[in-house]
Amino acid sequence: MTVTALELLPAGPPGAGPALGLAAAGYREEEYLVRGVADEWGYDASGRAELRRRDVPYTTRFVLRRPADDDRFNGVLQVEPLHPEYDAALTWQALHGWILRTGGAWAGVTQDFRLAEWLRTDVDAERYGELSIPAANLRYEIVADVAEALRGEGWGARARTYLSGWSMTGSFGRVFLGDGFHARRRLAGGAPVFDGYVIGISSGGAGASGYPGLSDEWEVPADDPRRTIADHDVPVVELLSELESETHEPHLRPDGDRYRLYQVAGTAHDALGPRPGGTAAIPIVERPSNARLDLIARAVFARLDDWVRDGVAPPHADRFTYDDDHRPARDAEGNVLGGVRTPWIDEPLARYVPHSTPAVTEVTPSPWSPVADPQLMAWLRGHLVPLDPPVLAGRYASAEDYLARYAARCRALVEDGFLRWEDTETLLATATAQFLECPRALP
């Protein structure tokens, strides 16, 4: 459980920094090889975490993006276990606008053994030829090792360090907490490696996806308490869309002194905003949703930092209402009831649905994927269905009335702490474009 060497690689990954506009934002991008030793954990016969092997050698890499001027660093370091889908950086996708504006830093760590092999054999054998993660469940210690190493540097020594992930890497955080890695990993003096957590779009009730656990030999039972976030000595936030909320009801718990849950109305699993680098989502039959969970996430992360830095607790929010079938209940127009009320739901032009239909019959899977299933991939995407003109005419007196009410909802969301003021312009532009595409119902 320690880093033995860091090696700065030549400028790269090739083209990533320029493509993301980092230099123009006053940022530097560095890529490191990291060598270390980590403990491998598994489960005993009763399903409790147990140490299997000590000091297993590994070599992986991480990408670091931070202000070129150390004096501009604001103290926020986001550490992300990169997603097994081609090392996708979903926290960066959601937060990069906020990070670049405010002077934060981000580190993305290759932690999946299959992606280490893919980088070594398929991407660049010369650059990544040393990568080796010899056991799947070294991943939790590896990410903690990188965070601890970064916190030991000059600029990193003053960092407030957060672990966050989305979907499978959101579930990474659930396991990190539930199977004791947070409790075990401490800095000199006893402080935790991570000062706070965001568990993004991960349902504790989603089988192996919701709690991947430490061993393929034993699946954590559906009613296991580890699937529900417990109380810890640092703040933890769960941030869910409608899709994860469909299976998360058994693992809901009240907010606490160091815990918040936010269920965001009108959002789907794949609603983290434009993808840096231009990678495309699977095409769907329906009209893709324009919901922006990422904009809500930026405000939630900012409130988390206020909580850690100043002790200012973030707001509470209503939960979704569930029907007799334990699914999120919906209003007469088909939109969800309860949760963090977004402007596109409280002043709707459409019905927002968290699942869609694929417009293709085949997709190319990532190297780790056991199947290429368009149905599953489209199931994660949201779509919208425009409301009928008579419904719109009954809700709004005019286009000006609609836009004024939408803007008022944006302002209220800012006041409630669930939207950053600088992101309201994006939502207002989206609302205007969506209105212009609606059937002509309003004067």
Side-chain angles (χ1 to χ4, degrees):
M1 301 189 298
T2 186
V3 168
T4 58
L6 289 176
E7 177 186 341
L8 178 63
L9 292 173
L20 297 173
L22 296 178
Y27 268 66
R28 69 178 74 176
E29 178 179 76
E30 300 165 330
E31 185 181 24
Y32 291 85
L33 286 187
V34 52
R35 300 177 182 86
V37 293
D39 292 345
E40 181 185 5
W41 290 79
Y43 291 129
D44 64 18
S46 66
R48 298 294 97 187
E50 68 171 0
L51 182 61
R52 296 280 178 84
R53 287 191 293 167
R54 289 192 181 277
D55 297 337
V56 180
Y58 68 84
T59 301
T60 189
R61 64 111 192 197
F62 69 91
V63 177
L64 177 64
R65 296 169 184 152
R66 63 188 179 100
D69 180 355
D70 287 350
D71 290 338
R72 191 184 162 220
F73 176 53
N74 70 354
V76 173
L77 171 60
Q78 303 288 342
V79 177
E80 173 176 9
L82 293 173
H83 196 284
E85 184 74 17
Y86 293 112
D87 258 4
L90 301 183
T91 291
W92 177 259
Q93 178 182 333
L95 301 185
H96 67 278
W98 173 64
I99 291 172
L100 296 176
R101 278 198 303 268
T102 58
W106 170 90
V109 186
T110 295
Q111 47 82 26
D112 190 283
F113 72 102
R114 296 161 294 196
L115 269 295
E117 179 181 358
W118 170 69
L119 287 167
R120 184 179 67 246
T121 59
D122 294 352
V123 175
D124 191 330
E126 181 177 357
R127 187 178 187 89
Y128 300 121
E130 297 182 48
L131 266 56
S132 173
I133 301 178
N137 290 322
L138 299 180
R139 66 185 69 204
Y140 304 101
E141 299 287 10
I142 286 172
V143 173
D145 280 355
V146 170
E148 186 171 354
L150 288 172
R151 297 192 73 163
E153 292 192 12
W155 66 272
R158 54 192 173 94
R160 301 177 298 280
T161 305
Y162 304 111
L163 178 69
S164 63
W166 301 85
S167 189
M168 292 183 70
T169 53
S171 297
F172 178 109
R174 195 180 298 279
V175 175
F176 195 95
L177 291 164
D179 275 313
F181 294 96
H182 170 77
R184 289 188 293 269
R185 291 302 303 257
R186 299 282 141 166
L187 303 171
V193 170
F194 295 107
D195 297 304
Y197 296 79
V198 174
I199 311 299
I201 55 175
S202 161
S203 164
S209 298
Y211 203 96
L214 302 178
S215 174
D216 293 336
E217 304 160 3
W218 189 81
E219 182 172 325
V220 175
D223 60 352
D224 192 290
R226 284 172 287 190
R227 291 179 174 272
T228 303
I229 297 297
D231 289 323
H232 296 276
D233 59 348
V234 299
V236 182
V237 176
E238 288 190 273
L239 185 58
L240 305 184
S241 79
E242 291 182 26
L243 186 146
E244 303 82 46
S245 297
E246 291 174 345
T247 55
H248 193 67
E249 187 189 19
H251 302 285
L252 294 172
R253 52 152 293 187
D255 285 351
D257 290 342
R258 295 188 180 90
Y259 173 79
R260 293 290 187 274
L261 168 69
Y262 300 127
Q263 296 172 297
V264 184
T267 60
H269 193 78
D270 187 11
L272 295 183
R275 302 179 179 208
T279 56
I282 181 175
I284 58 175
V285 171
E286 300 88 353
R287 179 176 171 182
S289 172
N290 58 10
R292 294 294 298 270
L293 178 58
D294 58 314
L295 301 186
I296 308 301
R298 294 175 187 181
V300 168
F301 274 76
R303 298 287 78 76
L304 172 64
D305 188 51
D306 292 342
W307 205 357
V308 170
R309 184 190 62 223
D310 300 324
V312 178
H316 301 278
D318 291 339
R319 308 292 178 78
F320 286 161
T321 300
Y322 285 82
D323 61 22
D324 293 340
D325 294 324
H326 305 285
R327 310 273 286 189
R330 299 188 173 276
D331 62 20
E333 292 162 354
N335 285 318
V336 73
L337 296 170
V340 176
R341 304 304 294 174
T342 54
W344 57 90
I345 290 297
D346 270 359
E347 298 297 344
L349 296 179
R351 172 167 57 95
Y352 284 80
V353 184
H355 307 289
S356 299
T357 309
V360 295
T361 57
E362 294 182 0
V363 294
T364 301
S366 67
W368 62 268
S369 180
V371 294
D373 186 351
Q375 295 288 337
L376 173 60
M377 295 179 70
W379 184 77
L380 301 174
R381 289 202 69 190
H383 71 271
L384 58 84
V385 180
L387 298 180
D388 292 334
V391 174
L392 294 177
R395 291 187 68 99
Y396 307 111
S398 64
E400 291 75 13
D401 176 42
Y402 160 69
L403 292 171
R405 288 163 61 173
Y406 190 98
R409 281 300 309 143
C410 288
R411 290 193 296 272
L413 205 58
V414 171
E415 293 169 2
D416 291 342
F418 293 110
L419 185 66
R420 304 278 289 176
W421 180 253
E422 59 266 26
D423 291 322
T424 59
E425 184 177 347
T426 299
L427 288 184
L428 289 169
T430 300
T432 301
Q434 184 176 356
F435 174 79
L436 293 175
E437 295 173 2
C438 282
R440 290 290 179 260
L442 304 179

